Amino acid sequence: MSESGNWCLIESDPGVFTELIHKFGVSGVQVEELWSLDQEQFQTLNPVYGLIFLFKWTQDDKQPANVVMDSRLDKIFFAKQMINNACATQAILSVLMNITSSDIKLGSTLQEFKDFCASFDATMKGLALSNSEAIRTVHNSFSHQTLFEFDAKKPEKDDDVFHFVSYIPIDGRIYELDGLKEGPIDHGAAGENWTETVRPIIEARMQMYKEGEIHFNLLAMVEDKIQKFNRIISSGAGEDEKQRVRMLLADEESRRARWKMENIRRRHNYLPIIMELLKQLAQRGELGTVYEKAKEKTIQMNQAKAAKKAK
């Protein structure tokens, strides 16, 4: 796998992922962050099309015994990960490309890409993805503005490296799609409620970390709530139910507006004003004091981080 390959790192955030999906031209889905694996939370989000799991990656050269290498690959979109920084978008596409619901429209960009590489093996799909100008352009639209260009470096031994994988039900079975593996991982029958079946699988992965460490994040790809609420309002639901859903719709529209503003701020270039502030501090003779305080705080933070890892 190569380095960044002109793909930026993007934040694991439901507002970022939802806008990314919509920029691809996909309609009918959004992303929600999960704070627990309780069934009550899943029930409020149904239908849940797939899960995206971010975790602290550790080297593991052993391939699972349940990697799919048979004819099922003809029905599963699976691509090897060829670019480090593309793993968030790859995890999103791993879910989107395997959704069979007629309520979800991929849009021309992803549908054409899916059709183009339908006959490719996993490696060729990964190469096609890493070289897709249309997909990379949307991905990089979430890059942070920088004043300086830094050479990409390989992670040091003690650096935290994070990775995304997807979980999705396909033809009655649960598959883990991890672009660093040789193929999809078959976790068995999905059962009547696949989110209940997948819970112990994800919980087992979370339990690999020390108590008190938070090295993972879980997001669900669900039906677009605005689409869902509008459908309920236009249906034959009672007036009390419609009024309740109208309130939920207003809340969701307000949240979307907030997400939009947050994404604008993420992309905004704050460096000119930062440089101007530094110049003003320097002219007033205060820059050295501020620098020393910041340096001291950084040393303390690094010492605390090292002590935590040593436990």
Side-chain angles (χ1 to χ4, degrees):
M1 183 172 61
S2 63
E3 299 303 319
S4 61
N6 296 321
W7 291 67
C8 71
L9 285 171
I10 62 175
E11 187 176 344
S12 177
D13 176 85
V16 171
F17 283 13
T18 296
E19 185 176 332
L20 180 74
I21 288 169
H22 293 167
K23 277 193 164 189
F24 282 137
V26 180
S27 62
V29 292
Q30 71 179 73
V31 175
E32 288 284 337
E33 188 165 19
L34 299 177
W35 299 99
S36 75
L37 290 167
D38 294 338
Q39 273 306 297
E40 290 78 9
Q41 184 170 24
F42 283 118
Q43 288 171 2
T44 63
L45 296 174
N46 276 335
V48 178
Y49 299 114
L51 300 175
I52 298 170
F53 186 54
L54 170 69
F55 62 97
K56 182 181 176 182
W57 180 83
T58 55
Q59 182 71 39
D60 182 11
D61 296 324
K62 185 173 67 174
Q63 290 291 333
N66 50 345
V67 173
V68 175
M69 302 298 290
D70 53 33
S71 61
R72 284 176 289 174
L73 289 174
D74 297 335
K75 295 183 178 181
I76 301 174
F77 181 91
F78 175 77
K80 294 291 293 293
Q81 183 176 325
M82 313 305 290
I83 301 292
N84 283 340
N85 290 354
C87 68
T89 289
Q90 182 149 346
I92 291 170
L93 295 184
S94 291
V95 177
L96 289 173
M97 297 295 202
N98 287 295
I99 296 175
T100 57
S101 172
S102 59
D103 294 329
I104 311 305
K105 308 300 181 185
L106 281 181
S108 59
T109 298
L110 295 190
Q111 189 61 59
E112 289 171 7
F113 177 78
K114 184 177 181 180
D115 294 341
F116 169 72
C117 61
S119 62
F120 294 175
D121 62 19
T123 299
M124 286 299 295
K125 281 188 174 78
L127 287 170
L129 173 58
S130 65
N131 286 285
S132 170
E133 185 64 29
I135 294 175
R136 181 171 60 228
T137 298
V138 173
H139 174 100
N140 284 343
S141 70
F142 289 88
S143 64
H144 294 279
Q145 294 290 332
T146 58
L147 183 63
F148 306 105
E149 292 293 332
F150 297 96
D151 292 333
K153 71 179 186 69
K154 292 185 178 180
E156 301 294 336
K157 181 179 179 181
D158 294 331
D159 286 348
D160 288 340
V161 179
F162 292 88
H163 180 56
F164 290 90
V165 298
S166 303
Y167 293 91
I168 183 170
I170 302 173
D171 289 341
R173 301 189 72 79
I174 295 175
Y175 293 96
E176 177 184 333
L177 304 182
D178 179 351
L180 298 182
K181 303 299 184 184
E182 290 302 312
I185 300 171
D186 183 359
H187 284 290
E192 294 183 3
N193 186 346
W194 86 273
T195 55
E196 178 67 25
T197 308
V198 79
R199 182 168 66 174
I201 299 168
I202 297 176
E203 285 177 339
R205 197 155 203 168
M206 291 178 173
Q207 289 168 2
M208 295 170 58
Y209 304 103
K210 297 178 182 178
E211 186 177 354
E213 285 188 326
I214 302 176
H215 287 300
F216 45 81
N217 177 230
L218 185 63
L219 302 112
M221 195 173 294
V222 302
E223 181 181 5
D224 186 316
K225 287 186 175 181
I226 292 177
Q227 171 183 288
K228 181 179 181 179
F229 295 152
N230 280 322
R231 185 177 66 249
I232 294 173
I233 292 170
S234 61
S235 70
E239 192 55 40
D240 289 344
E241 175 65 7
K242 287 184 178 181
Q243 185 59 32
R244 184 186 71 85
V245 174
R246 287 191 187 100
M247 294 176 64
L248 293 174
L249 175 60
D251 288 343
E252 182 61 28
E253 289 174 338
S254 176
R255 186 171 67 144
R256 292 288 182 89
R258 187 169 67 252
W259 281 354
K260 183 177 181 180
M261 182 57 65
E262 288 171 353
N263 288 337
I264 290 172
R265 288 170 177 162
R266 284 185 176 98
R267 290 189 286 261
H268 184 72
N269 185 3
Y270 290 96
L271 288 170
I273 191 172
I274 292 172
M275 295 302 296
E276 184 61 30
L277 287 171
L278 292 174
K279 285 168 61 178
Q280 293 295 325
L281 286 170
Q283 290 173 5
R284 288 153 49 183
E286 299 175 7
L287 183 58
T289 302
V290 172
Y291 168 77
E292 290 300 328
K293 287 182 179 179
K295 181 179 177 181
E296 182 180 350
K297 186 174 182 179
T298 300
I299 292 172
Q300 291 173 352
M301 290 174 61
N302 288 337
Q303 289 174 342
K305 183 178 179 182
K308 186 177 180 180
K309 284 188 175 183
K311 290 181 180 179

